Amino acid sequence: MEGANTYLSPYFTLQQRSKRLSTDITFRYQYYGRNFNMLEDDTSKKIGNHDFTGDINTLWQVKDHHALKLSLGRNIIRPTEAMLYPDPYFEVSSKNWKIGNPDLANACLHTVKLEYIFDWQRNGHNIIFNVNGGYIRGDGLIEAKDYAIYDNLIQEEGDKSSLVYTTYENTGISNIATANMSVIYSYDILTFTVSGNLFSNTMLRNNVREHCNYYNIALAPVFNFDGGWVLSGRFIYNSAIERQNEVNGDCFLGQIKFAKQLGNWTLHLEFSDIFDNVTTDISRKGANTTEYAYDLYSRRIILGASYRIGGRK
């Protein structure tokens, strides 16, 4: 399906530093060209798109221990190869015909975030408190569109009993307001992080306006013992998400990880889903209400090793 790709991303960065104010500005030009091998006539087709992204980050050290940070950004989400591939193909997993859209553009994400940071140290105790609020605007988000083929005519959302295929269009819009708070406490061998995130999302999907609120809470303790032993954990609670036609139930994720440093080597042993509780309940609203559950993650044990090239400073 896909041939060789070409990726180009030149960028430049401007930095300003003073006693209490620092600013970093980065702009990027990104080009991504893709060559597809067409199945019908054994030819190739090149599809390329280009875009600009960038970030502006300004940190103001108001006084000792207190700082404000303003971040502005523009990022993109590229369509996948399957979304662009212009020949019709049959997807076995969905049992559906699909036709990519070679005219798809990159989806754009515009972000703005304001942070307050408090950093305090005394007698080996260190507390970092961060509270921030932000806004994310998504334009041209890529959505799957179902079309029906009836009497050789293409009809949007037509008779579902006729042959249906799926393609993709830049029609989605998203507005997300965020509020986040985190506290990091460290003393001796312990570093403990607690954080909470609140999201309010208004979306336009398939010409339907939806709104949902959800949140998560995370705890992350880390113990650095003598002899290079590290014990860490991460525990996350995700609230339920209620959309117009669907409700995703809440879920909980627990993970514990052991690590041992041996020179430049680090050995890892990780246990995920330790409480065997990472499932979420789904219920569909409407005349045909259904309820079911599926696993977001599978319980697993991971044993690995990594090697660091060069000495530690």
Side-chain angles (χ1 to χ4, degrees):
M1 179 184 290
E2 185 183 5
N5 293 336
T6 302
Y7 179 67
L8 179 66
S9 181
Y11 70 93
F12 73 90
T13 299
L14 299 176
Q15 294 182 333
Q16 176 273 331
R17 298 288 185 270
S18 63
K19 183 177 180 180
R20 292 194 176 273
L21 185 67
S22 62
T23 302
D24 296 276
I25 302 175
T26 302
F27 289 102
R28 304 177 190 88
Y29 169 79
Q30 300 190 35
Y31 172 81
Y32 198 11
R34 299 167 179 174
N35 288 299
F36 292 92
N37 300 319
M38 311 305 293
L39 300 179
E40 291 186 353
D41 53 9
D42 197 27
T43 61
S44 63
K45 182 180 180 64
K46 186 172 183 178
I47 300 174
N49 58 39
H50 61 89
D51 219 316
F52 293 92
T53 62
D55 303 282
I56 301 175
N57 296 287
T58 298
L59 179 65
W60 178 29
Q61 195 70 39
V62 181
K63 58 172 68 175
D64 293 343
H65 312 303
H66 303 272
L68 292 175
K69 183 178 180 180
L70 176 65
S71 302
L72 306 173
R74 184 182 191 274
N75 297 289
I76 60 174
I77 302 175
R78 294 189 186 88
T80 64
E81 285 77 10
M83 294 176 179
L84 293 171
Y85 187 65
D87 267 358
Y89 62 95
F90 186 76
E91 187 179 70
V92 178
S93 60
S94 64
K95 298 181 180 180
N96 191 20
W97 283 95
K98 294 194 173 183
I99 303 177
N101 180 1
D103 296 323
L104 276 179
N106 297 323
C108 295
L109 297 178
H110 303 272
T111 63
V112 56
K113 183 168 69 172
L114 180 63
E115 300 179 63
Y116 165 72
I117 305 168
F118 173 76
D119 190 344
W120 177 86
Q121 298 182 33
R122 179 174 295 178
N123 299 327
H125 298 270
N126 182 211
I127 296 177
I128 301 176
F129 173 75
N130 181 300
V131 59
N132 64 74
Y135 171 75
I136 304 172
R137 165 78 179 191
D139 289 309
L141 301 181
I142 299 171
E143 297 183 308
K145 297 282 188 175
D146 291 333
Y147 289 85
I149 303 175
Y150 181 74
D151 291 337
N152 296 324
L153 296 177
I154 299 176
Q155 300 177 346
E156 181 177 3
E157 303 297 337
D159 181 7
K160 297 301 183 181
S161 64
S162 61
L163 179 63
V164 176
Y165 74 90
T166 301
T167 189
Y168 304 90
E169 298 178 4
N170 293 102
T171 54
I173 298 174
S174 178
N175 296 278
I176 304 176
T178 65
N180 311 280
M181 185 192 71
S182 66
V183 179
I184 304 174
Y185 170 76
S186 59
Y187 178 73
D188 197 20
I189 66 171
L190 171 66
T191 299
F192 186 82
T193 303
V194 56
S195 62
N197 304 279
L198 176 64
F199 304 90
S200 179
N201 190 359
T202 301
M203 300 162 287
L204 182 64
R205 301 194 305 178
N206 294 317
N207 297 320
V208 177
R209 182 183 176 89
E210 298 183 3
H211 179 80
C212 62
N213 299 315
Y214 52 98
Y215 66 92
N216 62 51
I217 300 172
L219 304 175
V222 179
F223 297 88
N224 290 278
F225 299 102
D226 294 336
W229 288 95
V230 180
L231 169 63
S232 61
R234 185 165 179 81
F235 310 95
I236 304 174
Y237 172 77
N238 294 308
S239 71
I241 303 177
E242 183 173 354
R243 299 186 176 93
Q244 181 172 351
N245 298 313
E246 182 179 281
V247 177
N248 291 33
D250 58 352
C251 66
F252 180 76
L253 168 65
Q255 173 184 296
I256 290 180
K257 182 177 181 180
F258 297 91
K260 168 64 175 176
Q261 294 180 359
L262 298 172
N264 285 1
W265 284 95
T266 303
L267 305 179
H268 307 272
L269 178 61
E270 177 182 329
F271 300 88
S272 66
D273 192 13
I274 59 175
F275 299 109
D276 195 21
N277 190 38
V278 186
T279 59
T280 186
D281 297 322
I282 304 294
S283 61
R284 305 284 185 182
K285 299 179 181 180
N288 299 318
T289 300
T290 60
E291 294 186 2
Y292 57 94
Y294 67 92
D295 289 332
L296 289 178
Y297 304 88
S298 60
R299 171 174 281 186
R300 62 187 186 270
I301 300 176
I302 300 175
L303 177 64
S306 60
Y307 181 79
R308 179 186 178 93
I309 300 176
R312 297 181 181 273
K313 296 182 178 180

